[in-house]
Amino acid sequence: MSQSKKRKEVIRTVAEAVGRIEDGMTVAIGGFVADNHPMIMVREIIRKGLKDLTIVGSATAGLDIDLLIGAGCARKVIAPYVGLEKYCPIGHNFRKAAEAKEIEIWECSEYTLYAALFAGSAGQDFMSWRGGIGSSIPELNPDFREFTDPIGGKKKYLAIPALRPDVAIIHVGWSDPYGNGQHFGAPFGDRWIARASDRIILVAEHVVPNDLIRKNPFMTSVSYADDVVEAPYGAHPYAAHGSYREDLDHLQEYIAASEANRKGDTKTWEKYLDTYIREPEDHVAYLERIGLRKLLGLYVAPIVTW
Amino acid sequence: MSDYTWKEMMAVLFCREMEDGDRVTSGASTEIFFAATMLAQKTHAPNMKLQLGGTCFLCNVTDVEIDKLPATSSSYELLKYAETVHDHSETFLFYCPPGREKYYEDGSPYRDTNHFWFADKFFIGGIQADKFGNANLIGLGKPGDITFRGPGSVGINDVVNSVRDGYVFLTAHDKRRLVEKVDFVSYPGRKICKEVELLGNGPKWIVTPKAIFDFDPETDEARLKSVFPGVTIEDVKENTGFEVKTTDEVETVKEPTKEELDVLRGEVDRTGVLRQD
């Protein structure tokens, strides 16, 4: 009996976590609009120059996936929305690449995406759904098939085929070394994205002892992730619920650079990528470029505790 | 000149539409609908069940102080008003109202249940809307050749399956946005809803900064119901890409009263977000 009784820890560096993602994989990114996107991983994917990815955005993806599109990592995009609401109603890189037909778009809506993930996580080949019937989505997405209620009705339904991403990347407030992550605020659709995916990478603001997770297992939103990357300000420039708000100044800089790119000014866009992604040697160097004064100013006091 | 912005007018208009027993989801069009729904709870609809934004918090602000309107539908600050949290994906799993179709009948006994069901009102944006109230967020062009890519359909065609009344809301009124026929349908209008037998009614109104359209119950076509103060019927006709039919009596929307603006500015939009035009 020489087997170790020690549990396996899954703490990785960001390079180790991205090292397991390959060109052509299907990668799902968590979060919602301006919050909880695992940006340290998004930047590392771009640094590594991964290509031909199928990017699955959250049900309301922000400009996290717009950045991946603009950096040339995406071949196909699965997302019912790409933008930042009033700040940027339509992602500029998304719009540019779609109009130039450089990316394939798997047209969907919020729940048709969730239904695909639900089918994937439940081992079903498809889920049925009424939403989308009567819209242009089935015409634009040939993977969705209309069928008639087989129970005896006459209503049309959509069969939404299962979606099983190779990897889900999810941002949490904290995680233990075994991959038990807890959100500090809204979980959005993150749990459904994680469950459908073959592997889960967590970006945690902090790694905490297992004891702390056990104090409230009700709060564990993603269990047994395969990799945990510890990264304070790992969602910057987006907000992380319970930790910091979005960096609107930086987002405005991003929006301006991506708009320039859409209008043909690739120099301004490349400068953005150089400054914030290619040149900083690591996450801390990136944060140094943002600046301590700015980062500390984004702090939010917790609204709920447990 | 009246001292209010069109955004304040919209918040007050939609607030007046809310009823005390309603179940409402504010949708993603952020500040105007955050303000309208929160204002309703603070005035005449303290029992309105409200899901604010995409955080999927069920919120009641009747007795809660609002310091400022949240800027995005994912904001952590929405948690200040929350009583319940669920996954965003679960939003779509409690869609069907009690009594199914009966819920939509006038005088339905199911309307006084205390549950939150995602059922009464929802607000829909668009890059185009047409005379049947179909709304488009997908883009302009045709399949295989989209020349202007829109943001995507979000959840609006999931919602139409069972939400009683949708409100198509456009932030500008011109012939590019109000068209004879949308290039793509994200949110089906009343005619399609009937044809494919969705539980929900589809759009009740199309609202723009100039006018409100309702729908002819026979043809399901839009007809001019009201204009906003200072707007003429001619002005609406000149700026609409489909033939504007009118109801017997086109009304002018009642301006916000002092009382409405006092609560809006003093208790809901204290930082004056809606006053920035």
Side-chain angles (χ1 to χ4, degrees):
Chain A
M1 285 295 286
S2 63
Q3 266 186 325
S4 169
K5 283 175 77 176
K6 193 170 153 48
R7 295 181 71 180
K8 189 170 70 179
E9 299 192 352
V10 296
I11 310 286
R12 321 274 184 218
T13 65
V14 63
E16 285 168 347
V18 171
R20 294 168 64 178
I21 305 175
E22 296 164 16
D23 289 347
M25 278 189 168
T26 298
V27 179
I29 312 279
F32 211 82
V33 196
D35 295 69
N36 291 11
H37 299 300
M39 294 307 292
I40 181 180
M41 286 290 294
V42 168
R43 284 187 286 269
E44 190 68 16
I45 285 170
I46 296 168
R47 279 159 63 91
K48 199 185 164 194
L50 286 173
K51 295 224 168 316
D52 297 323
L53 301 177
T54 293
I55 302 297
V56 182
S58 54
T60 309
L63 300 175
D64 50 328
I65 71 172
D66 188 77
L67 172 58
L68 285 167
I69 296 166
C73 301
R75 185 187 65 77
K76 182 175 175 182
V77 172
I78 298 179
Y81 176 85
V82 184
L84 196 60
E85 295 186 345
K86 69 170 184 176
Y87 300 118
C88 180
I90 310 170
H92 290 290
N93 288 315
F94 171 67
R95 205 182 131 189
K96 180 188 186 194
E99 290 169 8
K101 300 175 181 60
E102 290 163 359
I103 50 169
E104 182 189 337
I105 295 171
W106 198 76
E107 202 70 45
C108 61
S109 62
E110 289 179 354
Y111 197 82
T112 48
L113 171 58
Y114 287 131
L117 294 167
F118 190 172
S121 62
Q124 306 292 309
D125 294 312
F126 68 90
M127 294 294 287
S128 67
W129 190 245
R130 286 275 285 157
I133 294 290
S135 80
S136 301
I137 291 174
E139 184 188 357
L140 293 169
N141 187 338
D143 288 349
F144 291 0
R145 304 289 170 83
E146 275 190 17
F147 68 100
T148 305
D149 171 5
I151 308 292
K154 283 184 239 143
K155 289 180 182 171
K156 295 279 185 215
Y157 279 77
L158 285 182
I160 313 292
L163 177 61
R164 215 170 161 91
D166 293 298
V167 55
I169 312 176
I170 305 291
H171 181 277
V172 291
W174 60 33
S175 169
D176 71 11
Y178 310 124
N180 294 308
Q182 298 186 335
H183 282 72
F184 288 172
F188 302 112
D190 286 353
R191 302 198 301 169
W192 285 38
I193 293 170
R195 285 169 183 160
S197 300
D198 289 340
R199 286 214 327 271
I200 303 168
I201 299 171
L202 289 184
V203 170
E205 289 292 318
H206 317 282
V207 170
V208 296
N210 178 256
D211 291 356
L212 200 55
I213 298 294
R214 287 173 186 267
K215 282 192 195 300
N216 193 346
F218 291 103
M219 287 302 300
T220 303
S221 39
V222 179
S223 319
Y224 308 131
D226 298 277
D227 305 288
V228 174
V229 176
E230 184 176 33
Y233 287 95
H236 184 276
Y238 297 96
H241 270 208
S243 299
Y244 43 89
R245 66 175 63 86
E246 66 269 30
D247 180 349
L248 199 51
D249 293 336
H250 187 96
L251 289 174
Q252 298 288 16
E253 189 179 341
Y254 175 84
I255 291 163
S258 58
E259 184 172 11
N261 192 37
R262 180 172 65 78
K263 292 177 174 168
D265 174 8
T266 51
K267 231 174 108 184
T268 299
W269 174 244
E270 289 300 320
K271 184 165 176 289
Y272 177 90
L273 293 177
D274 286 343
T275 306
Y276 295 110
I277 298 177
R278 295 181 186 128
E279 288 170 6
E281 66 268 28
D282 59 18
H283 183 58
V284 175
Y286 165 80
L287 295 178
E288 280 172 346
R289 291 201 174 195
I290 303 304
L292 189 56
R293 190 175 299 275
K294 165 61 73 180
L295 293 171
L296 291 178
L298 301 175
Y299 172 80
V300 293
I303 295 171
V304 292
T305 53
W306 63 85
Chain B
M1 276 302 289
S2 47
D3 177 33
Y4 60 88
T5 64
W6 74 271
K7 289 182 184 172
E8 289 181 315
M9 176 74 251
M10 291 298 164
V12 168
L13 171 82
F14 285 108
C15 170
R16 292 172 186 159
E17 265 293 284
M18 311 291 160
E19 291 172 35
D20 195 35
D22 278 348
R23 290 85 164 158
V24 177
T25 295
S26 69
S29 192
T30 61
E31 285 144 345
I32 288 170
F33 296 110
F34 285 163
T37 51
M38 291 162 118
L39 183 61
Q41 282 185 336
K42 283 207 171 285
T43 52
H44 63 276
N47 297 295
M48 187 177 84
K49 311 296 185 295
L50 174 62
Q51 176 175 312
L52 276 180
T55 49
C56 298
F57 303 149
L58 300 189
C59 296
N60 193 299
V61 298
T62 305
D63 300 313
V64 182
E65 196 168 289
I66 300 164
D67 49 6
K68 66 176 198 293
L69 285 175
T72 69
S73 70
S74 55
S75 172
Y76 180 63
E77 286 171 27
L78 286 162
L79 202 47
K80 289 177 188 164
Y81 317 118
E83 300 177 314
T84 298
V85 180
H86 53 264
D87 289 7
H88 179 254
S89 28
E90 289 180 342
T91 292
F92 301 94
L93 301 183
F94 42 89
Y95 251 61
C96 187
R100 280 182 75 98
E101 288 89 341
K102 287 194 171 58
Y103 178 81
Y104 296 99
E105 292 168 2
D106 288 336
S108 163
Y110 296 101
R111 296 206 46 87
D112 60 3
T113 57
N114 195 37
H115 289 287
F116 175 82
W117 298 82
F118 187 18
D120 282 308
K121 294 184 169 99
F122 192 81
F123 311 103
I124 291 116
I127 56 175
Q128 280 182 325
D130 68 20
K131 65 176 180 182
F132 291 112
N134 298 307
N136 173 14
L137 280 162
I138 292 170
L140 306 181
K142 43 184 197 292
D145 189 22
I146 292 182
T147 51
F148 172 87
R149 176 65 216 192
S153 299
V154 240
I156 60 178
N157 60 316
D158 302 307
V159 166
V160 73
N161 181 38
S162 62
V163 166
R164 178 189 175 107
D165 295 316
Y167 295 83
V168 174
F169 178 69
L170 304 179
T171 53
H173 187 132
D174 56 44
K175 288 184 172 176
R176 282 170 45 231
R177 290 179 177 81
L178 287 151
V179 295
E180 179 73 18
K181 189 173 185 302
V182 290
D183 291 19
F184 297 99
V185 176
S186 293
Y187 174 78
R190 298 178 79 89
K191 195 164 188 286
I192 295 178
C193 286
K194 280 184 195 166
E195 283 166 6
V196 302
E197 296 182 64
L198 296 171
L199 270 177
N201 291 330
K204 180 181 177 186
W205 290 349
I206 302 170
V207 181
T208 75
K210 289 187 190 295
I212 301 173
F213 297 86
D214 67 3
F215 293 89
D216 183 321
E218 297 300 317
T219 64
D220 295 313
E221 281 186 53
R223 54 186 188 185
L224 185 60
K225 176 189 179 295
S226 313
V227 290
F228 285 98
V231 178
T232 63
I233 296 176
E234 273 317 300
D235 185 8
V236 172
K237 286 185 172 174
E238 277 168 25
N239 288 288
T240 303
F242 54 82
E243 189 197 338
V244 175
K245 295 174 180 167
T246 56
T247 47
D248 295 342
E249 216 170 307
V250 177
E251 305 156 353
T252 298
V253 177
K254 201 176 85 182
E255 294 193 324
T257 64
K258 184 181 179 302
E259 291 71 29
E260 286 168 329
L261 285 176
D262 282 351
V263 184
L264 177 63
R265 293 171 182 173
E267 296 183 43
V268 176
D269 180 25
R270 294 165 118 176
T271 61
V273 172
L274 300 181
R275 289 179 69 71
Q276 298 154 14
D277 225 342

